[in-house]
Structures are given as structure tokens and as C-alpha cells.
Amino acid sequence: MTTFKLHKPEEEVRRVGFVLQKQGIHERIPAQVGLNIDVSGSMSDLFKSGAVQAALERILPVALYFDDDGRIDTWVFSNQEKMASLAPATAKNYEGYVEREIISNNKLKTVLWGGTDYGPVIRSNLMTYGLMEEEAAGGLLGMIFGMSRDTFGEETRSGVPAINYFLTDGENADRDAAWTLLQKAEHAESQIYYVMVGVGDERFDFLRSAAEQFPNVGFVSVKDLGEFVGSDDAYEKLLPAELCTWLKHEHDDEDEDHH
């Protein structure tokens, strides 16, 4: 199994810049970088083999290029409300990150190795970046039952767009809930782009449909995660043309707002 080990982050950051130049991005566009990692039961072999750690190390140079803080905002998720936000991955702590922060993390015992739902972690992403807020519903029902409604916004809290890599090997059981969140975020022109990385032999109908429907969602099909992250064209696949076009659009809009 081919895999990837991050030895010289500076060299990899230069490679990221070169790939972006080929996509027409000749100056650095600031962005936040996040990673959602599926920790359902079927993912356990990918954790044991080191493929998930290798994927994190391959994505880190993207974060080092885009993010002023050089960090990957990291989440893990399985099913229902079983998800967690972890300490960000950085150039200082990435070695052994998956073993330390996920596999051996006692706080995640109730999260690890469950089923697969996307909605709760997408909701956490949007709320973390300030793109969604829960507000108390008005009227009698809101007062009696404490019901809330979601409001979606365009700009992140920092004003810097977010790129989120979504690593999963299974179809989700919460198609309607996850679709609604993506739909409402896209309708609000929320500053987040999802790169959905589907690992293995599943059809990934939901992810494919989302990528076709929403301009801020892309899909990458990966048969073998180790081979993918170890391939010479990994950055081209992690930084697809649609994402680069979206980034340029977000950057141009920001420039116009400042004039």
C-alpha cells in the first residue's frame, strides 16, 4: 500500500502553491481548512493501517499554505449526535496525531466505531465558523417547548472562507437532514466549500448528488486511501478546479467589498 509521510512541510507547501498556480491562483488567498474524519466501524482498518494519519499529513500542507494559523480544524463523527471537535492539527503536533487524539483518546469512546451520519458534523462546522446560528423560535411554541430555528449566514466569523475536507467510507443514514443543511448553507452563499472524499467501493450517491447540485461541494472518489495520498497528483485531486474557481470568486467578492 502506497502511503505518504510528511517530512519537509515547506517543500509540500511549495507544491501546493504550484498546483494552485496551474489553476490560475497566482497569489495566496487566505482560507481556513477543516477536516471531518469518519470514525464509523468500517473505518477502523484505515486507522490501523496508518492511512488516515497519512491523509491528515497530506492535507496539512494545504492548511499551511492557506491558513494564517497553519492549522486544520478537525472533527470526528459517526452516527446520531456522536461527533467531536478535536485539538487542531498543526505542523507542531501532526506526528502521531491520529493515534493520540483519536484512537487512544478516552474522551471519544462513545463516538468511535459507530454508524454514519453527516448532519451533526456539518452543523458543527457551520456553527464553528459562524455560518449558522440557532435562534429561539418565535411565538407560543418557542416559549413553551424551547424550540429553535436555524439561521444561515454568508460570511464566516473571521471573514475568511473555509475549505472542509470530508473523509468517509460509507453512505450516510441521515440523507434528508444532511441535504437540508447543505442546501440552506448554499442558498445563503455561506463561505464554506466541502471536498467530499469517498473512500472504498460504495456508490456514494449522496455525495455525488450533493457535488452535482451545489457549487460549493466537490466529490473525489478514492478506491485506496493509502495509494491516493501517496500519489504524485494528490494535491491536484485535493484542490479541484471547481474549488479553485470558488476560492477566486470568494476572493474577488471580498476585494469588491473593501473598495
Side-chain angles (χ1 to χ4, degrees), residues 129-257:
Y129 291 127
L131 294 168
M132 189 187 101
E133 292 182 355
E134 289 181 348
E135 294 183 352
L140 194 59
L141 285 175
M143 291 172 60
I144 296 173
F145 297 107
M147 294 174 69
S148 63
R149 62 166 176 253
D150 300 331
T151 59
F152 294 78
E154 180 179 355
E155 280 207 1
T156 62
R157 192 173 285 111
S158 64
V160 176
I163 304 165
N164 185 284
Y165 290 94
F166 208 107
L167 194 64
T168 182
D169 76 334
E171 300 278 7
N172 56 321
D174 64 338
R175 295 173 70 93
D176 290 346
W179 187 271
T180 298
L181 286 168
L182 291 173
Q183 188 174 48
K184 289 184 175 179
E186 191 275 328
H187 184 71
E189 298 183 353
S190 297
Q191 285 185 308
I192 188 166
Y193 188 100
Y194 279 101
V195 180
M196 303 294 200
V197 181
V199 181
D201 297 320
E202 291 281 356
R203 287 170 54 92
F204 296 108
D205 290 334
F206 178 89
L207 299 184
R208 291 179 189 275
S209 297
E212 289 173 8
Q213 180 71 25
F214 305 124
N216 63 328
V217 178
F219 174 69
V220 182
S221 177
V222 174
K223 293 295 182 188
D224 183 300
L225 185 60
E227 285 186 13
F228 170 74
V229 297
S231 64
D232 290 337
D233 62 349
Y235 292 129
E236 280 86 351
K237 291 173 181 172
L238 290 171
L239 299 162
E242 186 186 66
L243 165 59
C244 294
T245 300
W246 180 86
L247 272 174
K248 285 186 280 189
H249 174 73
E250 292 296 323
H251 183 60
D252 291 343
D253 282 355
E254 193 171 304
D255 283 349
E256 287 174 14
D257 290 343

Side-chain angles (χ1 to χ4, degrees), residues 60-187:
L60 182 59
V62 177
L64 294 174
Y65 178 91
F66 282 115
D67 192 312
D68 289 337
D69 296 325
R71 56 187 263 176
I72 302 175
D73 300 314
T74 310
W75 288 262
V76 291
F77 68 95
S78 55
N79 62 315
Q80 299 170 343
E81 299 300 319
K82 297 173 185 172
M83 51 81 49
S85 175
L86 307 180
T90 69
K92 293 182 178 178
N93 73 358
Y94 73 87
E95 293 188 74
Y97 180 94
V98 167
E99 176 64 41
R100 182 179 65 252
E101 300 293 338
I102 301 176
I103 298 173
S104 299
N105 187 343
N106 288 330
K107 294 178 181 177
L108 297 183
K109 280 185 177 178
T110 59
V111 176
L112 298 178
W113 324 133
T116 308
D117 286 333
Y118 298 158
V121 75
I122 293 172
R123 174 179 287 270
S124 182
N125 300 153
L126 297 174
M127 293 185 74
T128 297
Y129 291 127
L131 294 168
M132 189 187 101
E133 292 182 355
E134 289 181 348
E135 294 183 352
L140 194 59
L141 285 175
M143 291 172 60
I144 296 173
F145 297 107
M147 294 174 69
S148 63
R149 62 166 176 253
D150 300 331
T151 59
F152 294 78
E154 180 179 355
E155 280 207 1
T156 62
R157 192 173 285 111
S158 64
V160 176
I163 304 165
N164 185 284
Y165 290 94
F166 208 107
L167 194 64
T168 182
D169 76 334
E171 300 278 7
N172 56 321
D174 64 338
R175 295 173 70 93
D176 290 346
W179 187 271
T180 298
L181 286 168
L182 291 173
Q183 188 174 48
K184 289 184 175 179
E186 191 275 328
H187 184 71

Side-chain angles (χ1 to χ4, degrees), residues 38-47 113-116 168-170 202:
D38 182 347
V39 292
S40 60
S42 56
M43 285 284 292
S44 60
D45 286 345
L46 291 172
F47 278 87
W113 324 133
T116 308
T168 182
D169 76 334
E202 291 281 356

